[in-house]
Amino acid sequence: MYSSWLHKKNASKLIVFCNGWGMDGSAFAHLDSHHFDVLMLYDYTNLPDSYDVKDFSRSYSQVSLVSWSIGVWAGQKLFSSQEEIFHRTIAVNGTLCPMHDELGIPEEIFEGTLLNYDEAGRKKFYHRMCRDKRIYKYFLQNQPKRAIDNQLGELAALKKMIDCTPAENSIYQQVLVTDHDLVVPTSNQLQYWQGTRTTITLLPGVHFPFTSWKSWDEFLGYTNSVYLTPINGK
């Protein structure tokens, strides 16, 4: 696993961002940050049992965890024993059963991506992530600077590691689910999270929803505004 600062300006607040599979920081360059330092974790080929943020988190007044896609599962693995550190824990378009026909990515799709991931397969996956022409164009212009073999190695490693954690054991306080997710199907996400104490918000969008915001501040402001109006009534 690697870490990289997307924003480091000695701010008073910190966001730990668990990125999705095959990603780096390229597609998030448009997200400015005014009041947050942002530490990105990515490439889970060698996922440690935990990631200690206690030492450097002491210099921040608040620490938030934001996890996206497979990063939702990875964040659970990394921080389940450090939940008390975080002021906010937010999952975006992911579950803790990331390879599951009813609760995550259907196994046939997961296997198909692994078996057919060449340059054409990569573009097909990015298109499924973005769906919208405008978002897809943006993503291609800012796609990860990672080789296909490197991304495949991560996916193969994830397939061996992935397990299924019950939603009631989740560290996430809030879940954002977009209504047109073609990677982790929207219906599967809702089925996984429904009935838990986690606050669920359904919003318009695709698997990669981050073009909806211009900054990390705006993103967290949005999550604050919808936290009081979850679809599961919690």
Side-chain angles (χ1 to χ4, degrees):
M1 187 179 74
Y2 296 96
S3 63
S4 177
W5 289 98
L6 297 181
H7 297 279
K8 185 71 167 72
K9 56 183 74 174
N10 297 317
S12 62
K13 300 177 183 179
L14 172 68
I15 295 172
V16 178
F17 173 51
C18 290
N19 209 340
W21 163 68
M23 299 293 119
D24 59 19
S26 300
F28 301 87
H30 73 287
L31 288 176
D32 201 353
S33 186
H34 304 291
H35 299 103
F36 297 91
D37 287 347
V38 183
L39 177 67
M40 175 184 66
L41 306 180
Y42 67 106
D43 190 348
Y44 308 117
T45 304
N46 297 294
L47 185 71
D49 292 332
S50 64
Y51 185 82
D52 192 354
V53 296
K54 291 180 182 177
D55 288 340
F56 64 82
S57 67
R58 292 191 183 101
S59 60
Y60 295 96
S61 62
Q62 286 184 3
V63 182
S64 297
L65 175 64
V66 177
S67 302
W68 170 58
S69 193
I70 201 76
V72 173
W73 172 85
Q76 175 79 19
K77 293 296 181 185
L78 293 168
F79 300 115
S80 60
S81 64
Q82 304 176 67
E83 187 176 354
E84 71 282 355
I85 292 175
F86 298 105
H87 172 70
R88 296 283 305 281
T89 50
I90 303 166
V92 183
N93 281 342
T95 76
L96 305 183
C97 293
M99 185 173 66
H100 193 286
D101 287 344
E102 297 176 351
L103 305 174
I105 302 169
E107 291 190 30
E108 184 176 351
I109 293 177
F110 197 104
E111 290 281 358
T113 303
L114 189 58
L115 293 173
N116 301 292
Y117 199 72
D118 51 16
E119 188 57 47
R122 174 156 67 176
K123 287 186 176 179
K124 183 178 179 180
F125 175 74
Y126 290 165
H127 187 266
R128 194 161 72 245
M129 272 180 42
C130 299
R131 197 170 182 268
D132 179 273
K133 290 182 180 179
R134 178 184 57 84
I135 299 173
Y136 182 54
K137 180 180 179 180
Y138 165 81
F139 191 89
L140 287 184
Q141 292 172 343
N142 298 275
Q143 62 183 286
K145 298 177 176 63
R146 292 178 59 180
I148 287 173
D149 287 348
N150 178 267
Q151 293 173 314
L152 266 175
E154 182 188 1
L155 190 61
L158 284 167
K159 183 188 174 186
K160 294 179 180 179
M161 289 187 283
I162 279 174
D163 56 9
C164 190
T165 297
E168 54 266 28
N169 295 336
S170 168
I171 64 171
Y172 295 102
Q173 303 159 348
Q174 184 174 15
V175 175
L176 302 184
V177 181
T178 54
D179 60 0
H180 285 87
D181 193 329
L182 300 183
V183 175
V184 188
T186 300
S187 58
N188 286 13
Q189 291 186 57
L190 294 177
Q191 182 169 335
Y192 177 81
W193 293 110
Q194 283 285 15
T196 69
R197 296 178 58 124
T198 303
T199 299
I200 305 167
T201 300
L202 185 67
L203 65 154
V206 296
H207 185 67
F208 180 77
F210 293 95
T211 57
S212 297
W213 302 283
K214 296 179 180 178
S215 69
W216 290 98
D217 308 68
E218 186 180 342
F219 169 79
L220 281 187
Y222 172 82
T223 64
N224 282 331
S225 70
V226 298
Y227 192 68
L228 299 176
T229 55
I231 64 171
N232 58 340
K234 299 294 183 182

